[in-house]
Every structure is written in C-alpha cells, then in structure tokens.
Amino acid sequence: MSRTSAASIAWSHVGGADCIRLSGLDPKTLTAGADVQVRPGPAAAAAGEFPAMAGRLVRDGNDVCFVPRFPFVEGTSYAIAIAGRTAAVLTFPRRERPATTQVLAVYPTAAEVPCNLLRFYIWFSAPMSQGYAAGHVRLVDAAGHPMTGALLPTDSELWSADRRRLTVLLDPARIKRGLTAQRALDTGGVGYPLRRGETFWVVVDDGFRDAAGRPLRGAADRGYAVGADERRRVDPGAWTICAPPGRTREPLEVRFDRPLDHGLLARCLHVTGPGGRPVPGLRAPGPGERSWQLTPRQSWAPGAYRLVIDPVLEDLAGNSVSRVFDRDLARPEDEPGPPEPVALTFRLSV
Amino acid sequence: MSEYGLRPGSAQLQMAGPITFGPAGILFLADNGLARVFAVDVADPGPAAGPEPFDLTDVDLRIGSYLGCEAGQVDIRDMAVHPESHNVYLSVQRGRGDAGQSVLMRISVPDGAVTDVPLDGVLVAEAAIGDAPAEDDERQDVTIPSGEQGEEVTFGGRTIRILRRPIRTSTVTDMVYLDGDPGVLLVAGLSNEEFSSRLRRIPFPFGDDVTASSLEIFHVSHGKWETAAPIRTFVPYDGGASILASYTCTPVVHFPLASLVPGAKVVGRTVAELGAMNQPLDMVSFTDQGEEYLLVANTSHGLIKIACRDIDDQEPLTTPREPVGVPRQTKDLQGITRLANLNGSYVLALQVDGDGRRHLRSLKAASL
C-alpha cells in the first residue's frame, strides 16, 4: 500500500469486483469528482501520451474505487495518477498455485516415423493457454541440439475445442517435393526436417502454461527413429479385417499396412451392419496407430457389414485415401480419387 | 442494416481471429474459438478521410495501456481499415488462457485515439464455419483413448476413460469479401487434423443455411507436382475475378474465381515462391499510376513487391530455382506482419522493430 498526502491507495473489492480503492480524499475532490487515471507500469512513464486504462470510478462511502473494464493482470504494476500526478504504484498480486497439469501423450506412438512426417499431436491433462507452443515445443536431435526450422511457425496455434490437444505441423515446404525449400542444401534448399536413419525427440518443456497460467508439472519428450519417406496413397485394400464371431461382443480389429494419423483415425472409420445401420460402440486405435478396434455396444448380428472409410484419412506423411500428399503428375496412378467414402465389406457368421 | 440481415445482438468473441470490412461499414470478425464469423455494424463515428498518411508509434503499448496490461499481453491478430473514415481496426487477444479476452480495438485517424469497439448490443449476424457433422456421425458415440487423454466417466459403477468427439477444429487464417448480389465472404482455414486447402464461400447476407460450401484447391509446382495445402493469406485480384493466395509452403498461386464451382477440381497456377524457411504473413494489392501491384509480408525477407502485369505474363513455374517466379522487388522494410490499404495513396503496415515494439506506418504507394 502506498500513501500520499491526498489519499491512501490499495487493492480492494467493490460490488464483487477487484478495484483500486482511494481513501482519505479531501471532501472538495470528492464533491467535484476525482480525476483518477490508472495505467499499467510500462506506460506510466508516458502518462501524457498513452491512454488511461479503461474503467469507471465508483463512490463507496467516502472512498473512490477504480473498477477496470478489463481485469487487472497478476504480477503487473499499475500507476495511479490523481489530477495528473502519480500518487502510487501498486502491483496486482500473483496467486501462488502448484503446477498440476502434465503432458499425457505425444502422437504418433510408432517407434519409427517416415522422414516426411507431417504432424504431431500433444495431449495435455487440462486445458492450456495459447501462445506458448512456439517457445516450448521443439525437436531435438540425437546430440540434444534443437532442430531449428523443423516445425511450421503459425500465428494461430491448432488446438482442439477444449484446448487439451495441440496439433504441431512440421514445415510442409521442406516436405513437399519440387519446392526450393525441400531441395538439398547444395542446391539452395534446406532439405527434409528429419533425416533418415537418425533419431530425434519431441520435447515439451515445463514452461508451457495451462489455462490457469501455471507451468507444467514437468517436461515431457518422446523419441523416434526416422525411416524412409512415404509417398503412397493410403490403400484400404492393403488392410486386414479380423472379424469376430457373430453373436458375441468381441471387438472387430482392422490392421493397417502402416501407421495412420491419430487424430483422423478417431473419426474416419465407421462400421455399418445389416440394413446399413451404423454399429455403435467404443472405438480405439491400437498400438502405434497400426490398427483400430470397434467393441460393439450389442452383440454382433450375423450378416454383411461394411467398414466405411472417410477418404480424408491420412497416414503419418499426409497421404490420404483420396490423394498422395504431393502428386507426381507423371504418375497417373496417383490421380486424386473422388471425395466419397470408400468401403470394405465383410461377413460375420455364427 | 436490416437489408444485410443484421439484428440487435451480441458478438462475444472467444478467440480473436482475422477481420475484414464488407459493405456499408460492416466488419467481418472470425472467431477461432467458436468457429463462427460475425458481421458487425461497427457504427464508425469518423467523417470521411482524405489521402493523408497515418503513423502511430508503440501501438501495442497504447493498446496495453488502455486494456490494463503489458504490451507482451497484447496479441494483434489482424488489422483492417474502415473504407470511409480510414480508422484502423485491430483484432486483439488480450492475455492468455482463462484470463484471455478478445477485443476489437479502434484507432482513430488522424488523432491516434485508442478505444475498444463494443460488441454487445450491436447490430450483428453470424455464420458457422466449422465442419458440419457427417450425416452418419453417431453423436452419442465415444472412443476409448489409447493413452490417458479424455475424461473419466462412470457407467454402472465401472469407471472408464473416454474421449468425446468432436475435437476437430478449423482455424481461420484469412478472409476476403467480394461485393456482388449476393456478396461472398471467402474464408481460408487451417484444420487441426487433415492437411487440406479448404476455401469456404459464405454468401452475404448470411442465409438461413449458414454452413459454408467449401472447395479444395490444388496447385501445381514446377509443372511436376500437384498438391493441396492450407492457404495462409489471400487477396482478390483482377477486379475480383480471381484470387492470389499464398500458402504455408510458400508458393503464390493464382486461380480464377469462376472455377470455384462446387464439385469441380480447382487447380491454380503457381506464379512465385517466397523461398526456403519463409512464411507469408499478409498480402495486399494497391494501384499506382494505373498499374496494380501486390505486396507480400513474410517472415524471412523484406516486404516483397510484385507487379500484377508480371503475374499475368508469368508462365506456370516449371523449374525449381531461387529466386523463382515473377520478377519481384524486395524492399528494405523488415518486420512487417500485417498490411491494409489505408487510402488510394498509402498502404498501412503493422511493423515490429528490432526491440519488439510494434508501430503503425504508412507506406507511400508511389514510393514503394
């Protein structure tokens, strides 16, 4: 609390809101209306030039309270000027809160990824703050050196609606063939972000803040080996359907020829049963995103089933069922397919 | 405003996104938290302005001072200039996490006064930009996550961890309004799942069917590779007959609007590449002495200027080399993150200096 000859000034509350309370103002000032302006610290030196903080003055008995339009920020200093003269500087206190949020998982969970890997997903145990991804998620090589320029810088971070899942893209310009960026160093480019045969880690450091502004309980990482690039369309014809016996609730399992994208896998596969009705149940990707299971809510009825695949389903390198990530125009077999779902059929017998 | 379907209401933003002006001083605001676009009558108070320049130092400190936070807590997401008054509108996210707030700020020209624009009790219309659930989407369905993500629920005494859908979101990266009857708002976005070049068309006034139709736009690089990628920033071109779009993977691509027919495969023409380790940030076109030019703000080089005449003359790129594509001039103007037409004579730039301070600066079209 600071004191001036005119007033004592302190953090307080009025009408349930945080405020700056000015007490002991002389009656003349009170009657005429106090000329009180508040500015956050950095602007205080330029008080005449920078706008005052938006808010209103509220009479509370013999006190005057400044109630801001936008909440005070923890740890920020505010200069309070009365009639143009700085009367006090107060710092809005920080609330000490223990860190409770952690990284739950990093996808892919495959041990090896193609050198044209396109994205990661990072799951957190609680909603997170935006604006920290660029500084607190990075790739490091086997020697522990940051792999600068591997990740795509974005203005807007890519979060799920509940802000628990962050999507991180590798720089697509270094993955797409034919662009200057993707070309090797000796021809003016910078090459793939990942190098075949090497290992690397995704690191999320504990400076990443959750929605309440708390750091993480600890850093997290996941290591990968880098394999060959993957430039083929996702081909459901190469999958294996392990059909359960009819009249049971055993899960249906679909095994893929390569790991598929964790995020898309959760919504791109559906099963319809006899009569074309969807089969409700619990779906789960398998280890390394190399398989997918559906455990039906009710027992499987014998008959014909369809596994319906949304053609946007991608592998780890951004190749989807309908198109390869970047198509070599000289390869007619890579012509994009129609955007309609494709289906695999199978029968369940007793 | 009723002719545009605006009604009294509120546009409470969750996550400030791109902004752009439409007809009659209506501002479109994208909300990247709610996956919606609001059309708001901003009731701009200014008189019509002339062709004078406008500069303002420390715009982030000024906004922070008004909003009661340090400049580092002021995230300027986009900038638009009112077509009549030339007042500057900024889409701002103030603070982060639960304490974050989306604010629309107005900076008056020429006095530089800073104020926020009320979004409650205003004339407003809105449209959804999210992906509509598929018809066969079993909304009651949940998945069991393979890790520990999701939430714990109890079924008949048994507790399991489940994951509720949907978690797919679409982040608006840029918007363009094209006048017409009806007008069309074009919205480019970045999915948090699939890698696609989705461009949504939303007729304005927004109809009852507020779900946008969308198109995937391919582009060809060097005559050899065809690809689709998220559009980062784009501008109307050729009197609104076509679009110039810049991509996360750096090509600048030209495609005619007439080709944007639902169901058609749209393939644009790559006319330039911005080079390795570079990202486009914003684009604007302006006219000087009857010639149309394009300015591209980007992360690695100074402001890039391209004559549209050269774009028209440019053959599709067939050989990767650097620099590639149309002739361009790189201006010694570093740190520009946003661009807007201020008036016929000046382009307004939001520029970050070497100390990280942000300023508004007018660039004289005739001198660029």
Side-chain angles (χ1 to χ4, degrees), chain B residues 235-238 244 254 269 271 284-287 290-295 305-314 326-327:
Chain B
V235 288
Y237 169 66
D238 195 16
L244 286 171
H254 170 274
R269 179 170 58 102
V271 294
V284 72
S285 66
F286 69 96
T287 305
E291 289 277 341
E292 192 175 1
Y293 297 90
L294 182 73
L295 292 177
K305 178 187 175 188
I306 297 171
C308 293
R309 182 184 59 233
D310 292 332
I311 291 174
D312 297 336
D313 294 343
Q314 172 71 34
V326 293

Side-chain angles (χ1 to χ4, degrees), chain B residues 119-189:
Chain B
L119 294 173
D120 208 7
V122 292
L123 294 173
V124 63
E126 61 182 280
I129 49 166
D131 294 293
E135 281 180 21
D136 61 350
D137 193 351
E138 304 122 38
R139 303 298 296 176
Q140 77 282 11
D141 216 8
V142 294
T143 57
I144 295 180
S146 57
E148 288 183 53
Q149 75 272 18
E151 59 188 294
E152 283 190 342
V153 293
T154 302
F155 285 125
R158 180 170 163 246
T159 299
I160 58 169
R161 189 168 280 278
I162 61 162
L163 184 60
R164 291 184 194 278
R165 289 176 301 145
I167 45 178
R168 176 174 40 158
T169 57
S170 186
T171 298
V172 175
T173 53
D174 204 2
M175 297 190 294
V176 160
Y177 177 75
L178 297 172
D179 221 352
D181 188 20
V184 174
L185 185 68
L186 296 176
V187 180

